[in-house]
Amino acid sequence: MTAPTRIRVDGDAPYDVVVGEGLLGELAAMVSGSQRVAVVHPASLRTTAEAVRDDLLAQGHEAHAVEVPDGEKQKDLKVAAYLWDVLGQVGFTRTDALVAVGGGATTDLTGFVAATWLRGVPVVHVPTTLLGMVDAAVGGKTGINTSAGKNLVGSFHPPAGVLCDLTALETLPVHDFVAGLAEVVKVGFTHDPRILELVEADPKAARSSTGPHIRELVERAIAVKAQVVGDDLTEQGAREFLNYGHTLGHAIEKVEDYGWRHGAAVSVGLVFVAELGRLAGRLDDATAARHRSVLESVGLPTSYTGEWAKVHAAMRIDKKTRGNRLRFVVLDALASPRILDDPDPTLLVAAYEEVRKDRGPEVYL
Ligand code: GLY
């Protein structure tokens, strides 16, 4: 077993993202000042979470495993209220800590509860999905969903640490693993083209959680995110570039009533903004086409046939929208992201027509 890699995230409260195998021993240091620890987990990860709890108990913590629903439905005000009640019942103080064991939904929910309980208690994230490792668990964005949309209620609350145990990926369903690759490919286009080269060299291996480059792909994606959020936690500037592909992606998720995986929707969103950039005269044809080819090579969807009026309406409540103006992250060139503010509606329709073209089976929804 190789030594873990530690990726520092700077800011007012710096922390490490540890990447490796069998990282349970790392947790003690991250919760060392806490008497009580609540390990929040979805039902499907009960065994893993109980092992974490037992380890904490053995080290003298008063540890509790607290179960929440699986999937996106845990990011609900009622579930957050349930967790606040639990923390109240066990007498959680400001120095006690939450540990989130699960995918992005669990780290978003647990982070939100940690941010709001007593106006902020420590949280450690133990992401078990690729999406959680390379995106949701790093950077301190927390949130729950409302009827108006995803993540519209939340706060920035950086974790005390993040443990990315790559062995967790081995039991992740392939659709979920591949969906997470969309976020990895995203930062390949916006910041680190070496990621694209690694995927293109062997797309089949990139789709496998035990592929030869998976650790490098994960570490490169996290390194980009760590750098960006370390400089701009609250998304006043460069962090917005991490939303590349997300304006249409979030809209598809909403129109599809969250029946699509986030990464699958982002994959279509990436093709859309590549076409938007190309049609706006910013991005060259070859780099735009590369979006489609890389994403298709790993089995991600690159087309969507939903009604434009619905998708357009859903985009208008995206967090990047300012007043009535839609804003998109586009590329001027590979690894050169920029904001395209209030594009001409005809460009939007033309870019959308490009993603409506049916290009064969969509495998990983
Ligand atoms: N998922 C984009 C961000 O964390 O800023």
Side-chain angles (χ1 to χ4, degrees):
M1 203 187 294
T2 49
T5 305
R6 283 166 215 283
I7 302 169
R8 191 77 166 159
V9 183
D10 287 328
D12 291 345
Y15 59 95
D16 281 343
V17 181
V18 185
V19 184
E21 292 167 4
L23 299 179
L24 195 51
E26 299 275 340
L27 185 57
M30 292 181 175
V31 297
S32 60
S34 304
Q35 184 186 337
R36 296 170 198 81
V37 183
V39 182
V40 179
H41 66 92
S44 57
L45 289 170
R46 186 178 303 147
T47 309
T48 309
E50 286 179 354
V52 173
R53 178 204 56 196
D54 292 347
D55 194 66
L56 291 166
L57 285 170
Q59 291 171 50
H61 294 279
E62 181 191 320
H64 306 266
V66 189
E67 192 166 303
V68 293
D70 277 294
E72 198 66 20
K73 60 183 179 298
Q74 69 191 272
K75 288 176 62 176
D76 186 276
L77 184 59
K78 287 197 185 71
V79 182
Y82 162 72
L83 291 175
W84 289 322
D85 283 346
V86 170
L87 299 184
Q89 279 161 21
V90 300
F92 232 65
T93 70
R94 269 212 176 125
T95 52
D96 296 328
L98 287 143
V99 175
V101 177
T106 305
T107 56
D108 281 4
L109 166 75
T110 310
F112 177 69
V113 170
T116 45
W117 182 254
L118 301 179
R119 300 197 178 91
V121 297
V123 61
V124 174
H125 293 315
V126 184
T128 56
T129 63
L130 182 57
L131 182 79
M133 292 180 191
V134 299
D135 192 26
V138 181
K141 275 189 182 173
T142 75
I144 56 173
N145 302 332
T146 69
S147 56
K150 248 183 107 162
N151 297 330
L152 295 178
V153 175
S155 72
F156 294 100
H157 184 65
V162 182
L163 298 179
C164 301
D165 185 341
L166 297 171
T167 59
L169 300 178
E170 290 167 19
T171 51
L172 193 65
V174 66
H175 284 46
D176 291 318
F177 182 80
V178 169
L181 281 177
E183 296 284 359
V184 178
V185 169
K186 174 196 78 178
V187 291
F189 279 106
T190 54
H191 292 83
D192 181 2
R194 176 71 187 141
I195 285 176
L196 303 178
E197 291 166 11
L198 287 171
V199 174
E200 287 167 336
D202 191 347
K204 194 159 172 264
R207 273 167 42 169
S208 161
S209 60
T210 54
H213 300 308
I214 190 60
R215 182 161 174 170
E216 184 174 354
L217 287 169
V218 169
E219 289 181 0
R220 281 183 174 276
I222 293 173
V224 168
K225 181 128 197 207
Q227 173 72 49
V228 172
V229 302
D231 290 342
D232 179 24
L233 173 68
T234 57
E235 205 167 299
Q236 304 301 306
R239 186 167 184 167
E240 203 177 346
F241 297 145
L242 296 178
N243 292 323
Y244 189 52
H246 281 58
T247 309
L248 182 75
H250 282 153
I252 291 174
E253 287 184 271
K254 183 157 167 39
V255 170
E256 295 298 325
D257 205 14
Y258 303 103
W260 274 47
R261 284 175 179 77
H262 175 68
V266 166
S267 176
V268 176
L270 290 171
V271 175
F272 173 76
V273 282
E275 292 297 343
L276 187 60
R278 183 180 69 82
L279 293 165
R282 301 273 194 105
L283 187 61
D284 62 279
D285 293 356
T287 309
R290 195 175 180 190
H291 286 67
R292 201 185 306 273
S293 64
V294 175
L295 294 162
E296 282 179 353
S297 77
V298 294
L300 280 161
T302 54
S303 66
Y304 178 67
T305 54
E307 202 184 313
W308 168 244
K310 283 190 189 162
V311 168
H312 189 231
M315 286 200 293
R316 299 198 80 81
I317 61 153
D318 186 82
K319 291 183 288 306
K320 286 179 296 311
T321 303
R322 302 282 187 270
N324 283 328
R325 301 194 330 264
L326 286 174
R327 280 158 68 83
F328 294 87
V329 182
V330 294
L331 295 185
D332 281 350
L334 201 54
S336 185
R338 299 282 182 274
I339 297 297
L340 179 64
D341 196 11
D342 202 16
D344 188 309
T346 57
L347 279 185
L348 293 178
V349 172
Y352 192 65
E353 279 309 310
E354 291 300 319
V355 303
R356 278 172 71 97
K357 290 179 184 162
D358 186 11
R359 288 184 167 80
E362 293 171 351
V363 188
Y364 289 108
L365 297 185

